[in-house]
Amino acid sequence: MTARITRRGALGTALALSAPAIGSAQSPTTITMWTFLDPNRPGGRETALKQIIASFEQANPNLRVRVEPQVWTTMAERFVLAANARNAPDIVWVNDQNLALLAESDAAADLKPMVDAWPQSRRDDQVLPAAFRAATMNGKLQAVPLMATSSVLMVRRDLLAAAGKTMEDLRTWDGVVEVAKAMTKDTNGDGQPDVWGIGLGLATERFSFTPAILAAVGLQGGLFGDGCRARLATPDVARAIQWQADLILKHRVTPREAVATTSDDAIDQFAAGRYGMQVIANSRFEQIQRTAAGWNKDALTMAPTPGWTADRPGPQILGGWFGVAWRGSPRVREAVRFIDHMSSADSMALWNLPGQQVPMLKSIAARPEMQEQRYAHLRQMAEFFARSGYSMPSTCAWSRTLADFNLATQQVVLGQRTVMEALRIAERATQDRQ
Amino acid sequence: MRRSERFVPYRLLAPALALELVLVLGPLLVGLWYSLHNVRFFRVRGFTGLENYTRLLESEEVLNALWVTAVFAFFALFLTFILGFALAMWLERDGRFNTAMRAVVLVPYMIAMLVGSMLLKWVFSQEGGLAPMALGPVGLGEVSILGDPKLAMAALVYNAMWRDGAFAMIMLLAGLKAIPPSLHLAARVDGAGAWMRFRRITLPLMRIPILITLIRLLVHFVNILTFPLILTGGGPSGATEVVVLKVFRLGFGDHLLGQANALALMVFLANLLLVGVLLALFRRAGRI
């Protein structure tokens, strides 16, 4: 009797102890990730993400990744708020503009131990070690780079040829104006241009890099002084803003409505064939080709940031998307494991192709398929990075400085302020955020 | 009344009051606390007293946002109310045509605010929109509605009228339907004309629906975010940056949550003040 009770007790204890294991075998742990990509939608990056998740789940049968697509413009802020409310996703993607916000919020897990555990060969394989340095703040690695992007001058080669110009003419900002003038055309004779030389998104909502910022950084070498002191009300920045405003006011190569156009709307207009050139993040190359309407997608090409003189190219501002693990997540180890997987050589190969992203590893860049003509734009981008790559200071809050530039341009175009008055306002606004 | 019965109303009210405390008073107090602190990047840095408030009142941008809100709310309220009243009067009688027209007028109100504003953005856009197609033949093809400060404000007011005219119509139609037809018939027999009947019968009996509609619209317009955020983005050059959009940008663009909460509280007090003024005006006129 006693023996039977003991046996039953032992069996019961064994079952009770094994219950969590049985449970976990039956219901895998789910990692939640916020990103702007929806793996169920068409597109190179979306396809790459889908394949990366599939390979991770195959290698880790007890783990599942659930993607909750988000609007990219507010994703970082929403993550920080959710982390404060202890309700954040396990992983979030943050762009370079929000690294300062991330560091200040202290919501990110330290990914340095993960990177320290990499073999030396993997560390040496990185194309942009500067991106790791930019993400290292307050003594910890806040995020790991997944995609490198930079704003480039996207150009339609067909319009360029029709205007009798070449890529060489786009080496300087003055050259850009001349090309834009030659590209601006009224094709249906209604007195209004149907194709504008250069598109701009100058709204203060959903904004991105514009030529004025690149031109200003090129002239001045940066927008911040020591201790993140904003340096915007300067003759160099004024020259850049005036140059941008003149595209509308003087040269009439950009529609006036640019003052109310968001970056996304301007990109849509570019894809619809309304502009000959536009400063756009290189990561949009595949999307623009996919959505090109009324023109041959193969005519799309990229030019490096123009300079003020032909012998000195403008800055290629490095940016991109980073993977972040939430520090307070109960699944932080699993989250870090997936970030590790997303930045592995296999995944980086997928981000490269079919993702159409610039190779982040030297070994990926050296692959034979990367030498094919159809991937020339990716090789080109890597060259731009190497030649004139520039990082905005990650410890300074500069993401809305882009909107400050846009507001200054709007005020000048509308004749409400002089350039210097507008820049003083922009400088104060940027300074207040530090 | 027995002693236990005396507390029944309070007991019945208690759940609703508790909900109010949690959902209204709680966030208000948290907002007030934030507004007295330096909150940057969503982290509290220290007590600053009334500094957030003084900085806001000294800010040119905030003063501009308050002015823009006042202009927008005035024109939107006036024109939406007039449109809603006119539609309600026009479509008051039941009939096939009027029923069909009421459904048509309601369409913008049934569409989500965001979708409606996106639709209008496409209509007003100079780049491939419908407005330039209409303006082109009269020599105004170069006019950029969204790129001009005054026209952008007009577009924003139009957005409000287009959507909320239907809401005003429903509210006022309900009031009109509640007026006994016999009053109008009797007035007609006495020789009263349409204007006289409107002034002496319709308007006095509509005072409560009018008040409710005005208060509801006023609060809605003073606190509007979706229309300017989607249609104009607050631009150009802050011409349509209403105060709630400024709150949103201070909080989630500039990450200055202390100032954002201070401005939100100021807007809340302004709302109370406006509703109070409206009620007082109606009382003074002997309308309620």
Side-chain angles (χ1 to χ4, degrees), chain A residues 369-417:
Chain A
E369 54 265 49
M370 279 301 292
Q371 307 314 311
E372 294 173 22
Q373 181 54 36
R374 60 191 168 135
Y375 302 127
H377 64 282
L378 298 178
R379 289 198 308 277
Q380 244 184 329
M381 203 59 230
E383 282 168 29
F384 297 167
F385 280 148
R387 197 189 311 157
S388 51
Y390 171 86
S391 289
M392 295 287 275
S394 56
T395 48
C396 306
W398 59 270
S399 73
R400 226 179 140 72
T401 301
L402 309 186
D404 297 335
F405 264 75
N406 283 1
L407 181 61
T409 311
Q410 287 178 19
Q411 290 170 335
V412 174
V413 168
L414 295 169
Q416 295 175 332
R417 309 240 182 224

Side-chain angles (χ1 to χ4, degrees), chain A residues 33 35-37 44-53 93 145-148 338-339 341-360 364 367 378:
Chain A
M33 180 168 78
T35 169
F36 61 94
L37 296 174
R45 292 181 294 182
E46 288 81 357
T47 307
L49 179 59
K50 194 171 189 171
Q51 291 179 19
I52 288 167
I53 291 171
W93 286 34
L146 299 172
M147 289 177 189
F338 184 58
I339 290 175
H341 179 77
M342 279 198 293
S343 54
S344 67
D346 288 344
S347 297
M348 283 299 172
L350 288 167
W351 289 128
N352 178 218
L353 300 176
Q356 297 278 326
Q357 300 304 301
V358 179
M360 295 283 282
I364 304 288
R367 289 193 300 177
L378 298 178

Side-chain angles (χ1 to χ4, degrees), chain B residues 149-162:
Chain B
K150 288 195 177 92
L151 293 177
M153 174 55 88
L156 200 63
V157 171
Y158 178 82
N159 192 164
M161 278 173 64
W162 177 75

Side-chain angles (χ1 to χ4, degrees), chain B residues 15 25 165 211 271:
Chain B
L25 196 63
L211 179 67
N271 272 308

Side-chain angles (χ1 to χ4, degrees), chain A residues 318-331:
Chain A
L318 292 170
W321 286 97
F322 294 75
V324 177
W326 175 36
R327 196 167 63 95
S329 165
R331 294 164 294 277

Side-chain angles (χ1 to χ4, degrees), chain A residues 142-161:
Chain A
Q142 309 267 350
V144 164
L146 299 172
M147 289 177 189
T149 61
S150 182
S151 293
V152 293
L153 188 64
M154 297 245 185
V155 184
R156 276 182 57 186
R157 260 194 310 237
D158 54 339
L159 295 179
L160 189 71

Side-chain angles (χ1 to χ4, degrees), chain A residues 77 80-81 84 101 104 192 204-205 252 257 260 265 269 274 400 410-411 416-417 432-434, chain B residues 40-43 45 55 60 121 125-127 142 144 146-147 236-237 249 252-255:
Chain A
E77 288 87 352
V80 172
L81 283 173
N84 286 351
L101 165 67
E104 291 287 341
Q192 294 299 311
T204 50
E205 201 60 46
R252 299 172 71 85
E257 189 148 284
D265 288 345
Q269 294 289 345
R274 301 277 290 172
R400 226 179 140 72
Q410 287 178 19
Q411 290 170 335
Q416 295 175 332
R417 309 240 182 224
D432 282 349
R433 292 183 207 109
Q434 306 308 315
Chain B
R40 287 180 180 230
F41 297 107
F42 309 114
R43 294 184 85 183
R45 309 289 172 107
R55 287 194 76 163
E60 210 176 300
K121 186 176 181 179
S125 169
Q126 195 182 23
E127 296 296 299
E142 251 191 280
S144 165
L146 299 176
S237 189
R249 283 182 174 161
F252 298 102
D254 300 342
H255 305 129

Side-chain angles (χ1 to χ4, degrees), chain B residues 157-179:
Chain B
V157 171
Y158 178 82
N159 192 164
M161 278 173 64
W162 177 75
R163 185 181 185 276
D164 294 311
F167 167 78
M169 181 196 77
I170 298 170
M171 299 289 287
L172 297 169
L173 197 58
L176 286 175
K177 289 276 184 195
I179 299 174

